[in-house]
Every structure is written in C-alpha cells, then in structure tokens.
Amino acid sequence: MHTLMVLVGGFVLLFFCQLVARVFGGEGVKPIAKALVVFVPLWFVIAAINMWVGIHYAGYTFMQELPIFLLVFAVPAVAALLTWWRITHLQNKKKNTPV
C-alpha cells in the first residue's frame, strides 16, 4: 500500500510541476518541457529518500528496497519522459508542416 501511495504522490508531483510551469511559465511548450525535465531529478531524490527511510526505519536491506525504488522512480519518470518526448515532437512537427 505504501508503494502505491508513493507512486500516486509521484504523479501528483508531476501534475503539480506541469501546473506551475503553465501558470508561471506562460504559454507554449517550452515551460512544460522544462518542468518535465526538472521533475525527473527531483523525483529521483524523493524516491531515494523513500528508499533510505525503508532501509533506515523499516529495517529492509538495500537489496530488498532496490526493486521497490526502481519501480517507484521509473513509473512516474517514464511517464514524464514520454510526455516530454510527445510534446517536443509534436511542436517540431507543427513547425515543419506547411501552412
């Protein structure tokens, strides 16, 4: 259950990063793309802290926590990177299409 809550927290943080980029970064794709790129290392640090808590306080070993860390980090990070790829790819296609 804890893993699911952390995963949901990752998606909430991803949404919040995009929202902040949209509100304070203005219109267009660049602020959203930058927010997505900023999200990945930020989420890595948060997921690593979650792993440290599991090792330090819950008593799990590093090898027990590693697969959970990889799952917790990878799922929101892959979603962010796919979103980044999609919006930057679509922007480039729009620039190259004749009007």
Side-chain angles (χ1 to χ4, degrees):
M1 186 59 149
H2 175 76
T3 302
L4 182 61
M5 291 188 308
V6 175
L7 277 170
V8 169
F11 283 106
V12 169
L13 179 62
L14 178 58
F15 172 76
F16 182 72
C17 286
Q18 292 178 3
L19 181 66
V20 167
R22 177 65 70 189
V23 170
F24 295 110
E27 296 208 12
V29 173
K30 285 186 179 181
I32 299 291
K34 187 172 183 179
L36 292 169
V37 170
V38 167
F39 166 80
V40 173
L42 177 64
W43 183 240
F44 180 83
V45 169
I46 293 170
I49 290 170
N50 179 63
M51 180 178 175
W52 177 80
V53 168
I55 293 170
H56 192 322
Y57 292 108
Y60 294 110
T61 66
F62 176 80
M63 292 308 291
Q64 289 172 322
E65 277 289 320
L66 186 60
I68 305 301
F69 166 77
L70 293 174
L71 176 75
V72 162
F73 171 70
V75 172
V78 167
L81 293 173
L82 286 174
T83 305
W84 171 83
W85 178 81
R86 184 167 184 244
I87 65 172
T88 56
H89 216 66
L90 289 177
Q91 180 189 23
N92 290 338
K93 274 189 172 180
K94 286 181 182 177
K95 284 183 180 178
N96 293 335
T97 54
V99 178

